[in-house]
Amino acid sequence: MAKYNLKINGKTREVDVDAGTPILWVLRDHLNLVGTKYGCGIAQCGACTIHLNGIAMRSCMLPVSSVGNQEITTIEGLSENADHPVQEAWLEHDVAQCGYCQGGQIMTAAALLKNNPNPSDEDIEATMSGNICRCGTYLRIKEAIKTAAAK
Amino acid sequence: MKTKKKSLDRRSFLKSSALAGGGLMLTFNWFTQAKAAEAMGESLAETWHELTGYIKITPDNVIKILNPNPEFGQNVMTSLPMMVAEELEVDFEKVVVEMGPHDNAKLGPQFTGGSNSVRMYYNILRQAGATARQMLTEAAAQTWGVSADQVIASNGMLTSGNRKATYGEMASKAASMTAPKDVQLKSPSEFKVIRTAQKNVEGKKVVTGKPLFGLDYQAEGMKIAMILHPPAFGMTLKSFDASQALRMPGIKDVFSFKLFDEDFAMAGFDVRTFNEQIAIVGDSTWQVMNARKKIRAEWTERGDARETRMGRGGSQTVTIPGKLESTNYHFDEMEEGRKTAKVQRRDGDPETAFKNAAVVIEKTYNAPFLAHNCMEPMNGFADVREDSAIIAGPHQAPGWIEPTLSKVLGIAPDKIEMISTRMGGGFGRRAYGQYYVEAALISKQAKVPVKLVYSREDDMSYGIYRPMYTATYRAALDENKNLIAFHVSGGGIPESPIHANRFPAGALDNYLAESWEVPSNITIGAFRAPRSNFNAAAEQSFLDEVAEAMGKDPIQMRLDLLKRAKENPVGSNNDYDADRYAGVLELVREKSGWGKPENNGKRRGVAAYFCHNSYAAHVVDMIERDGEPYVEQVTSALDCGIVINPEGAANMVQGAVTDGIGQSFYGTMTFNNGVTDHKNFDTYRMIRHNESPKKIDVHFVENDIAPTGLGEPPFPPVFGAVANALYKTTGKRYYNQPFMNAEQPESI
Ligand code: FES
Ligand code: FES
């Protein structure tokens, strides 16, 4: 066990965990930030997506010891009041079914638009294909990303 | 006394009306006025006045509607309260919606499955809304000294002449009144909320990552638990050494436990896939995951096992084979099983018709086991005390698993509190609650509250899979290419797919349906539109081939058969309504521009199916992209009666279409000596963004039929439409799922 000071959603949080603990479980089990989801644990589904210095990352294979000073943003910290353009577009298109994958989808989409404000269909597909939605909401996700891009 | 009598009348009326609708009905006491509720020992929040079991109103006019049914993405948190709001006469957007407590007595059957949520609550919830509205109206009438018909209830306001009050202002008085015996429900033409597009009421919580799901559940003093189950179906625990695991940081306890006693009579949704397992309990998920790897367990072949099941007409004991099964063995067993086929339905003289046929077409279709793969792996919270328990988590039907928990724990059902969280998917998997039994037994033995967490690997390798199916279809044509006989013989491991009374039964003079089953220790269960999800693939793809041989358009060919089934049906117990079936085919033909010259170059497949009381048809447009078939666009037509929330309904159909494409292209679970070949998404292929269609147009038949359900019906015919589009795209017929798997055996 070791102590880590993590920068999460603009605040510094101290945790005392094993060095190999993935950020996913630090967030969920130690900091009660459960918006970041567990889906596979092997970087295959995207449910656990966070931003590390603004870049989308799978937190399930990201050991706490590798994060250092970098800024972590989780779905809880994406906006103050659900007013990030991606979140707004998600609501406008009524994307969610079960909703379990959507935090990860939104985090991947938000990072995509930050780097590429006007993505083509191919850009969207290439970036989003790491995020599985078992309920099959892909069509609405695509539409929502386009709406968010237009804003 | 008078009050009591009336409420009893009301209850029995509801009981019989709900039964007439075909829903499963448990004890029912849905309407509860505040006084009666208090008498029953319930403590109500001081400021909330409960008007019916489903509706609470504060003096300052906050209106809360409780959703009775578990939410797994079918959006009942929105659609069920809409029904209440409709009759209550409130603005739906101003209403607060909350998940209701598990309480079958007060809130009805409370189960999600069989496309039943909307169907079984349609009358109950509208009556609840109307009852409350009438009580509020009466309260205003009495207060103002006018007759009730001089009071108008609308938008959460009561008015009479120039007198006005909010519902909240009348709530206290209304709550003390006797509920009316009869309430008048609106006719569909008067709907203001139902049939309007409403956004998911939990949308904002979802996009901000609020704790909603079972895995997010927290409680004071809670530990994390995981299980270690045998590595193969047919194996069991021999011995284990946990000394190393117990030395790992954060680990509290490691022990083995038994799910059920040998002679435990299991209920319909109980499973004992692995009856003896090892539990690991610790502080955090990561610690428990790591410690689990350090357990040295020895497993052994279990041998044949006996299983006792309760059923209609008493309990039954069956033998579950102990063999370690492989997929090749499954194919061989299917061939053996075929010899034991039993007739399910015979019309006319099919044998003679086949003998005299000018042409006989015969094709065999295969489909593999499928894992549900809900995005949220199985999990459940349990806090089991000496004589009480709290069980919380994602489950489709808490009322089905509660009696089992009660028996296993020896705690009376009324001492077990069941809490429903939102589910990260269900698809039938969460109708089976063995993860609750496991959590409860672990909590009991470890003497702490635990949240049992399945890893993805646990979830995928310890499944209640969609069975493996096969079916051989034969069609006889006379010299004029008329279809004169139809024969289906289908089997499954371990359950047959055959619905003998479904289309085209009833449309043909000579018809034969046969079925067989092969026992297995691979546990199976409901998977979105059970059995139909295979039948629609096989039969709808076969009919396409038959239409081609007949030289007919595939839609017209089906419509001709349906016309026969309607005008001069064969047999009297045909499951489907030929008019509604034809209706979705006609609608999809129109909306997709089927047969129109501008669509001539398109490679499209069509399929239609009836299941779970509703009707669905799809036209799939396929292209070749980078040498691979790709479904670019889908046009869907549905008849599910009245559509409560067109927005949520369209989303669900689009999801079913996407799911159907993914499962038919890629879905498969195979076995090697009882071990699943896939344990995670690295090898179990799921449809992804780049493989999902660019457009899915959803159209509903408009009618005033009471809702007949929508979660499952759109799913099965996708498989058939995809198979038929594949033929148009590649020139090859696809008989074996998954379609994008070259290694599947060729059909006859
Ligand atoms: S949980 Fe991290 S990618 Fe699936
Ligand atoms: S909404 Fe259910 S997994 Fe995506």
Side-chain angles (χ1 to χ4, degrees):
Chain A
M1 306 282 263
K3 287 208 163 73
Y4 297 90
N5 284 304
L6 299 168
K7 287 192 196 160
I8 301 175
N9 299 333
K11 288 189 198 115
T12 303
R13 311 281 303 259
E14 191 188 80
V15 289
D16 187 4
V17 293
D18 186 86
T21 312
I23 288 296
L24 168 66
W25 297 115
V26 174
L27 295 169
R28 293 189 57 83
D29 282 358
H30 300 274
L31 297 171
N32 204 17
L33 289 167
V34 295
T36 306
K37 299 297 190 222
Y38 167 70
C40 69
I42 56 166
Q44 290 289 324
C45 77
C48 64
T49 307
I50 57 159
H51 294 173
L52 194 62
N53 281 350
I55 295 168
M57 279 276 171
R58 309 293 183 236
S59 66
C60 65
M61 292 191 83
L62 183 69
V64 62
S65 58
S66 69
V67 168
N69 242 340
Q70 303 178 82
E71 298 266 358
I72 292 172
T73 308
T74 70
I75 183 77
E76 291 92 341
L78 190 62
S79 69
E80 282 291 311
N81 190 30
D83 51 5
H84 186 284
V86 171
Q87 288 168 317
E88 284 179 344
W90 243 248
L91 294 174
E92 189 182 325
H93 288 274
D94 207 33
V95 171
Q97 284 187 38
C98 82
Y100 192 78
C101 73
Q102 299 298 346
Q105 306 274 5
I106 289 170
M107 294 307 279
T108 306
L112 164 70
L113 291 179
K114 203 170 159 204
N115 294 320
N116 181 356
N118 267 309
S120 66
D121 274 18
E122 288 69 33
D123 294 339
I124 294 175
E125 285 177 3
T127 308
M128 298 304 297
S129 288
N131 286 73
I132 297 173
C133 175
R134 173 66 180 84
C135 300
T137 64
Y138 298 127
L139 184 66
R140 284 173 185 246
I141 290 176
K142 245 173 262 184
E143 287 165 354
I145 293 176
K146 288 182 191 166
T147 297
K151 278 186 185 167
Chain B
M1 273 330 278
K2 205 177 160 207
T3 308
K4 199 168 175 196
K5 172 122 189 348
K6 278 199 172 179
S7 62
L8 280 172
D9 287 345
R10 178 90 192 139
R11 249 175 275 166
S12 43
F13 158 66
L14 275 167
K15 204 168 174 180
S16 56
S17 72
L19 277 171
L24 171 70
M25 193 46 48
L26 306 173
T27 51
F28 219 87
N29 174 21
W30 67 280
F31 109 88
T32 316
Q33 10 173 353
K35 265 189 184 163
E38 266 158 10
M40 282 158 63
E42 289 184 28
S43 62
L44 291 173
E46 245 181 341
T47 48
W48 289 105
H49 298 292
E50 183 170 329
L51 293 186
T52 71
Y54 304 94
I55 302 162
K56 296 177 182 187
I57 301 179
T58 64
D60 47 359
N61 214 30
V62 179
I63 297 165
K64 190 196 281 180
I65 302 181
L66 298 183
N67 164 45
N69 240 28
E71 171 66 81
F72 70 173
Q74 82 281 42
N75 209 1
V76 282
M77 280 294 281
T78 308
S79 55
L80 297 191
M82 281 173 72
M83 301 179 196
V84 179
E86 177 69 67
E87 292 289 344
L88 185 57
E89 288 290 353
V90 289
D91 181 352
F92 187 68
E93 272 143 50
K94 295 202 187 113
V95 153
V96 180
V97 174
E98 229 177 63
M99 181 68 211
H102 173 71
D103 186 346
N104 287 156
K106 209 161 130 187
L107 295 181
Q110 297 191 290
F111 74 88
T112 285
S115 302
N116 266 316
S117 302
V118 162
R119 203 163 80 93
M120 72 188 171
Y121 276 105
Y122 182 63
N123 283 335
I124 297 168
L125 292 181
R126 289 184 308 138
Q127 277 161 351
T131 302
R133 185 196 65 227
Q134 216 160 303
M135 288 158 78
L136 289 158
T137 307
E138 189 58 41
Q142 284 183 15
T143 307
W144 296 333
V146 297
S147 71
D149 56 14
Q150 289 174 289
V151 178
I152 297 165
S154 174
N155 261 326
M157 293 292 298
L158 296 152
T159 47
S160 181
N162 51 13
R163 275 166 297 204
K164 251 185 192 327
T166 64
Y167 280 7
E169 286 162 336
M170 291 295 167
S172 155
K173 187 174 173 74
S176 70
M177 297 178 45
T178 307
K181 198 172 169 200
D182 293 308
V183 290
Q184 185 78 36
L185 296 180
K186 292 178 184 176
S187 75
S189 63
E190 297 168 289
F191 286 160
K192 293 182 214 156
V193 180
I194 292 174
R195 286 182 164 153
T196 63
Q198 298 293 338
K199 305 278 189 225
N200 189 331
V201 297
E202 294 206 297
K204 198 166 168 184
K205 289 183 195 159
V206 167
V207 304
T208 51
K210 293 281 176 301
L212 288 171
F213 300 93
L215 270 184
D216 305 341
Y217 195 84
Q218 298 279 354
E220 191 65 31
M222 182 186 89
K223 299 288 175 199
I224 299 292
M226 294 189 90
I227 47 162
L228 184 62
H229 65 75
F233 286 82
M235 294 194 91
T236 190
L237 182 64
K238 190 172 170 201
S239 64
F240 70 101
D241 171 5
S243 50
Q244 240 190 308
L246 280 163
R247 283 199 296 273
M248 301 277 287
I251 299 307
K252 301 290 169 236
D253 216 344
V254 179
F255 51 85
S256 67
F257 68 100
K258 246 191 186 162
L259 220 48
F260 301 124
D261 292 335
E262 287 319 313
D263 57 353
F264 183 86
M266 299 195 295
F269 286 79
D270 290 345
V271 278
R272 61 194 311 169
T273 313
F274 301 118
N275 204 38
E276 195 169 359
Q277 306 177 54
I278 303 168
I280 306 98
V281 180
D283 291 336
S284 72
T285 316
W286 185 246
Q287 289 173 324
V288 175
M289 276 181 178
N290 282 321
R292 185 168 67 157
K293 293 183 198 151
K294 303 285 183 195
I295 294 173
R296 280 163 218 264
E298 245 195 279
W299 312 97
T300 178
E301 287 191 37
R302 185 200 65 197
D304 292 356
R306 284 157 68 75
E307 213 171 84
T308 304
R309 267 190 194 280
M310 297 187 294
R312 280 188 208 118
S315 65
Q316 216 193 344
T317 301
V318 292
T319 301
I320 308 293
K323 190 180 165 60
L324 306 186
E325 301 170 17
S326 298
T327 297
N328 283 339
Y329 163 84
H330 288 144
F331 276 111
D332 293 345
E333 284 297 291
M334 280 291 204
E335 287 316 304
E336 284 302 305
R338 194 180 290 279
K339 295 173 192 158
T340 67
K342 288 198 181 61
V343 174
Q344 305 295 309
R345 173 167 170 163
R346 183 201 305 272
D347 295 326
D349 184 356
E351 288 82 2
T352 306
F354 273 101
K355 215 185 297 158
N356 298 336
V359 180
V360 173
I361 308 165
E362 176 175 331
K363 299 293 169 190
T364 295
Y365 299 80
N366 291 299
F369 290 98
L370 293 175
H372 291 83
N373 291 343
C374 304
M375 277 316 283
E376 180 193 22
M378 298 306 116
N379 66 85
F381 168 85
D383 183 357
V384 175
R385 305 290 168 97
E386 197 59 28
D387 48 16
S388 70
I390 301 171
I391 308 288
H395 196 282
Q396 289 176 227
W400 295 355
I401 191 69
E402 196 181 37
T404 301
L405 288 165
S406 164
K407 276 188 244 165
V408 167
L409 298 173
I411 296 174
D414 62 346
K415 291 283 187 294
I416 302 177
E417 185 186 350
M418 308 284 293
I419 299 168
S420 285
T421 65
R422 197 176 173 89
M423 288 174 267
F427 309 100
R429 174 64 186 85
R430 285 190 161 99
Y432 305 85
Q434 99 280 12
Y435 51 93
Y436 272 6
V437 182
E438 289 161 355
L441 290 171
I442 296 170
S443 168
K444 185 177 176 175
Q445 191 155 341
K447 296 197 166 55
V448 283
V450 299
K451 181 164 65 184
L452 171 68
V453 177
Y454 276 29
S455 67
R456 174 57 60 194
E457 289 80 4
D458 295 330
D459 192 275
M460 215 180 272
S461 63
Y462 177 4
I464 316 291
Y465 307 98
R466 194 283 298 265
M468 182 177 177
Y469 292 128
T470 189
T472 299
Y473 286 83
R474 293 196 305 147
L477 306 187
D478 66 14
E479 57 281 2
N480 298 319
K481 296 184 179 171
N482 294 311
L483 178 58
I484 53 168
F486 191 92
H487 173 203
V488 57
S489 179
I493 305 176
E495 164 205 276
S496 162
I498 294 300
H499 287 290
N501 297 322
R502 293 246 177 109
F503 181 77
L508 293 151
D509 292 315
N510 304 303
Y511 173 88
L512 176 63
E514 298 170 300
S515 151
W516 76 86
E517 295 181 339
V518 175
S520 165
N521 57 39
I522 313 281
T523 36
I524 58 103
F527 184 110
R528 197 175 203 168
R531 302 194 277 164
S532 302
N533 60 36
F534 169 69
N535 294 327
E539 163 211 299
Q540 289 294 307
S541 151
F542 183 67
L543 286 181
D544 203 67
E545 205 163 336
V546 173
E548 190 181 33
M550 293 166 77
K552 278 195 179 184
D553 171 79
I555 294 184
Q556 195 54 50
M557 177 260 201
R558 288 169 172 82
L559 290 174
D560 292 347
L561 287 172
L562 287 162
K563 187 159 182 260
R564 163 75 207 272
K566 185 190 172 191
E567 288 172 355
N568 183 19
V570 181
S572 54
N573 49 353
N574 302 318
D575 281 348
Y576 57 97
D577 176 327
D579 266 341
R580 293 181 72 189
Y581 209 135
V584 291
L585 275 162
E586 280 158 1
L587 185 62
V588 87
R589 177 163 69 178
E590 176 204 327
K591 296 294 180 187
S592 68
W594 181 269
K596 290 264 153 51
E598 65 268 26
N599 292 320
N600 275 348
K602 287 195 177 153
R603 290 169 289 186
R604 16 179 59 179
V606 66
Y609 203 69
F610 154 79
C611 74
H612 294 89
N613 306 294
S614 290
Y615 300 79
H618 306 290
V619 167
V620 158
D621 289 341
M622 195 175 273
I623 59 164
E624 230 169 296
R625 198 180 58 172
D626 307 326
E628 295 276 324
Y630 166 64
V631 177
E632 195 174 43
Q633 184 172 341
V634 180
T635 311
S636 304
L638 290 304
D639 180 352
C640 59
I642 290 166
V643 176
I644 305 300
N645 177 12
E647 178 91 59
N651 194 351
M652 190 150 64
V653 175
Q654 289 164 340
V657 166
T658 308
D659 191 7
I661 297 168
Q663 302 291 353
S664 66
F665 264 40
Y666 314 118
T668 181
M669 179 55 91
T670 51
F671 295 84
N672 188 3
N673 285 321
V675 181
T676 61
D677 286 329
H678 307 287
K679 295 194 168 52
N680 208 326
F681 298 130
D682 51 347
T683 63
Y684 197 109
R685 189 160 171 195
M686 309 280 288
I687 190 168
R688 290 173 182 268
H689 275 274
N690 56 330
E691 294 145 350
S692 82
K694 299 215 185 298
K695 208 163 175 241
I696 304 170
D697 283 330
V698 181
H699 305 275
F700 292 97
V701 173
E702 279 175 40
N703 58 35
D704 286 346
I705 298 170
T708 51
L710 190 60
E712 289 155 304
F715 181 60
V718 180
F719 292 67
V722 165
N724 298 336
L726 275 167
Y727 173 60
K728 288 284 154 48
T729 308
T730 66
K732 234 181 86 183
R733 291 274 176 194
Y734 283 67
Y735 300 102
N736 302 305
Q737 294 170 39
F739 298 140
M740 295 299 107
N741 178 357
E743 280 160 34
Q744 289 278 329
E746 269 295 307
S747 182
I748 301 159

